[in-house]
């Protein structure tokens, strides 16, 4: 197959449907994605969305399991089309001596390597930091694992689910009388991917000052712990352990999901006292505003039963469209509870271009999430969707200087 960047698959993203694609702000950055499932690969995707050249390196016979996760169409995994976008794909057995040599040659011309093998695995193959930095002192090596590179759990298998459990997230999620609840999607992996892409950019900025690359050690259990907020501080200073409160908040009320007369759901937030006042006037309970406890979020949270009943009863008497219109008129914060069908039909998402259509050689036009944010001068772009396993192996190796005979030899030796 031809290089996708030359095959007419390019399509602008944040710049608008009719604009010509322009180099992203990371144009010229070379990234080797050695990782699987899901944080490391998604970090590489985020870099590729803004112009980095990303080469996805997979085992010849054991591709990234993400290719087989979730629903497929015509035998092609759809999740991979999102996770693998803007990446060229090649196969390489890193445990094979010849594969090791190829990887070192690739690393010599790269800026970033992203991996998520268990600690010690790259070292076992002779591809640890000592070997990689020897061929490229400016290289940034991002190591994304479940528990980090050291400590008593470092060698354990690590997945996002374990991070969601160990960070404290599951313990505070769910109904008060129910079990701890895990998210039905890769929350910890997604947050770790965002963190890893930020860490890469921080390390590259540091390289500008020192001229040297460095190692990023990112454990899945840490980014979600940070996003959860001041729980350790609360416990350290007050001995406070946050309980499960369902959709309610221990800090403000009313804050919940409510069912409308036509069977839809809406979410209401009243983080600001002024918004809480508008909501209570709207639902016909202005007298509670004068109660002493109403003046603080914690006070309102202690009276959540009363406030929820008032808001829920009013919402239950109106259709969703009426509820949304009334809240908007009152300048109170509300949102419909969407499923994916609603997201794809929503005019705000349409105005932002949050969902974009990407052409694909295997499946035809695909609708997927657009690049993560809009830049006014150097926007990102989705140039192509996830490519087949090993689709670009020969092209990548040829660009490395290997001739056809050498590539055939590597393949016959089992390195590709």
């Amino acid at each position: 197959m031809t290089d996708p960047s030359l095959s007419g698959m390019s399509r602008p993203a944040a710049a608008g449907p009719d604009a010509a694609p322009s180099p992203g702000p990371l144009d010229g950055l070379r990234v080797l994605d050695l990782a699987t499932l899901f944080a490391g690969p998604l970090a590489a995707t985020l870099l590729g969305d803004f112009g980095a050249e990303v080469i996805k390196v997979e085992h010849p016979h054991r591709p990234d399991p993400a290719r087989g996760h979730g629903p497929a169409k015509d035998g092609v995994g759809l999740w991979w089309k999102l996770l693998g976008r803007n990446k060229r794909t090649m196969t390489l057995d890193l445990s094979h001596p010849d594969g090791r040599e190829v990887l070192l040659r690739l690393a010599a011309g790269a800026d970033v390597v992203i991996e998520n093998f268990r600690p010690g695995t790259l070292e076992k193959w002779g591809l640890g930091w000592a070997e990689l930095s020897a061929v490229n002192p400016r290289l940034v090596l991002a190591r994304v694992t479940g528990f980090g590179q050291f400590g008593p759990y470092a060698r354990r298998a690590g997945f996002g689910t374990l991070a969601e459990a160990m960070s404290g997230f599951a313990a505070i999620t769910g109904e008060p009388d129910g079990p701890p609840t895990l998210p039905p999607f890769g929350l910890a992996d997604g947050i770790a991917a965002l963190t890893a892409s930020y860490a890469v950019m921080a390390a590259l900025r540091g390289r500008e000052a020192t001229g040297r690359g460095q190692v990023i050690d990112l454990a899945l259990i840490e980014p979600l712990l940070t996003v959860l907020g001041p729980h350790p501080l609360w416990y350290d200073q007050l001995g406070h352990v946050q309980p499960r409160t369902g959709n309610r908040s221990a800090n403000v009320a009313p804050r919940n999901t409510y069912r409308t007369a036509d069977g839809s759901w809406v979410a209401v937030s009243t983080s600001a006292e002024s918004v809480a006042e508008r909501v209570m006037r709207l639902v016909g309970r202005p007298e509670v505003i004068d109660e002493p406890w109403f003046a603080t979020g914690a006070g309102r949270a202690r009276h959540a039963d009363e406030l929820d009943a008032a808001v829920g009863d009013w919402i239950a008497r109106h259709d969703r469209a009426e509820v949304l219109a009334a809240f908007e008129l009152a300048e109170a914060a509300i949102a419909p509870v969407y499923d994916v069908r609603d997201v794809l039909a929503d005019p705000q998402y349409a105005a932002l271009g949050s969902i974009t259509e990407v052409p694909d050689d295997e499946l035809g036009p695909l609708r997927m999430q657009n690049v993560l944010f809009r830049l006014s001068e150097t926007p990102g772009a989705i140039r192509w969707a996830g490519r087949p396993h090993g689709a670009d192996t020969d092209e990548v190796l040829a660009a490395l200087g290997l001739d056809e005979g050498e590539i055939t030899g590597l393949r016959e030796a089992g390195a590709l």
Side-chain angles (χ1 to χ4, degrees), residues 291-315:
E291 295 288 345
W293 50 262
F294 196 87
T296 67
R300 297 195 300 276
R302 288 192 294 270
H303 291 77
D305 287 344
E306 178 181 356
L307 298 177
D308 265 350
V311 175
D313 289 348
W314 185 90
I315 288 176

Side-chain angles (χ1 to χ4, degrees), residues 26-336:
L26 302 183
D27 182 51
L29 190 73
R30 293 183 175 181
V31 178
L32 302 181
D33 175 9
L34 314 184
T36 60
L37 289 178
F38 285 97
L42 181 55
T45 302
L46 298 174
L47 298 173
D49 282 352
F50 287 91
E53 176 192 355
V54 180
I55 299 174
K56 175 73 175 181
V57 180
E58 298 174 87
H59 190 277
H61 310 297
R62 297 188 299 275
D64 189 333
R67 290 180 178 275
H69 268 58
K73 180 182 178 182
D74 299 334
V76 178
L78 296 175
W79 199 335
W80 171 252
K81 288 297 178 184
L82 175 68
L83 189 64
R85 72 189 191 189
N86 291 337
K87 300 179 183 181
R88 291 191 289 167
T89 62
M90 69 171 296
T91 59
L92 195 62
D93 184 346
L94 303 182
S95 66
H96 191 287
D98 293 339
R100 172 187 179 274
E101 292 305 315
V102 171
L103 195 280
L104 287 175
R105 290 181 64 175
L106 287 168
D111 296 285
V112 180
V113 171
I114 301 175
E115 65 98 0
N116 69 338
F117 299 105
R118 291 197 199 187
T121 301
L122 282 185
E123 286 75 9
K124 178 180 66 176
W125 294 336
L127 291 170
W129 177 240
E131 292 83 3
L132 292 173
S133 61
V135 299
N136 184 354
R138 291 175 56 81
L139 186 71
V140 170
L141 174 61
R143 316 194 80 166
V144 183
T145 57
F147 303 101
Q149 296 294 309
F150 56 90
Y153 304 159
R155 303 243 346 135
R156 290 184 181 179
F159 296 99
T161 297
L162 309 187
E164 289 146 9
M166 288 184 62
S167 64
F169 171 84
I172 64 171
T173 304
E175 294 300 323
D177 56 352
T181 301
L182 296 167
F185 67 102
L187 176 64
D189 281 289
I191 293 175
L194 291 166
T195 306
S197 61
Y198 166 71
V200 166
M201 300 312 299
L204 291 172
R205 178 64 182 89
R207 187 178 73 176
E208 292 180 12
T210 67
R212 301 186 305 275
Q214 58 185 301
V215 178
I216 297 166
D217 178 9
L218 178 65
L220 285 177
I221 58 174
E222 291 182 302
L224 185 54
L225 176 63
T226 295
V227 170
L228 285 173
H231 292 194
L233 182 60
W234 286 342
Y235 180 75
D236 175 65
Q237 296 296 305
L238 302 172
H240 175 70
V241 178
Q242 181 172 330
R244 287 189 291 282
T245 57
N247 288 328
R248 288 180 173 177
S249 168
N251 305 308
V252 295
R255 190 263 196 181
N256 214 324
T257 58
Y258 307 91
R259 195 168 190 175
T260 62
D262 55 355
S264 298
W265 291 86
V266 295
V268 172
S269 175
T270 59
S271 296
E273 181 184 351
S274 60
V275 175
E277 292 176 0
R278 293 172 199 150
V279 170
M280 300 319 296
R281 290 193 183 99
L282 172 63
V283 302
R285 291 292 306 277
E287 72 279 3
V288 299
I289 297 172
D290 297 325
E291 295 288 345
W293 50 262
F294 196 87
T296 67
R300 297 195 300 276
R302 288 192 294 270
H303 291 77
D305 287 344
E306 178 181 356
L307 298 177
D308 265 350
V311 175
D313 289 348
W314 185 90
I315 288 176
R317 297 195 302 270
H318 299 83
D319 290 346
R320 186 176 79 171
E322 297 172 326
V323 172
L324 296 175
F327 267 71
E328 184 173 355
L329 184 63
E331 297 184 352
I334 193 170

Side-chain angles (χ1 to χ4, degrees), residues 290-379:
D290 297 325
E291 295 288 345
W293 50 262
F294 196 87
T296 67
R300 297 195 300 276
R302 288 192 294 270
H303 291 77
D305 287 344
E306 178 181 356
L307 298 177
D308 265 350
V311 175
D313 289 348
W314 185 90
I315 288 176
R317 297 195 302 270
H318 299 83
D319 290 346
R320 186 176 79 171
E322 297 172 326
V323 172
L324 296 175
F327 267 71
E328 184 173 355
L329 184 63
E331 297 184 352
I334 193 170
V337 175
Y338 277 174
D339 64 23
V340 67
R341 294 167 294 186
D342 302 308
V343 169
L344 292 178
D346 182 83
Q348 182 61 32
Y349 280 124
L352 293 174
S354 305
I355 303 295
T356 191
E357 186 175 282
V358 181
D360 182 68
D361 284 348
E362 292 184 286
L363 299 178
L366 305 170
R367 284 192 292 174
M368 65 175 66
Q369 297 95 318
N370 211 331
V371 297
L372 195 57
F373 46 84
R374 288 161 293 281
L375 296 177
S376 63
E377 299 301 323
T378 54

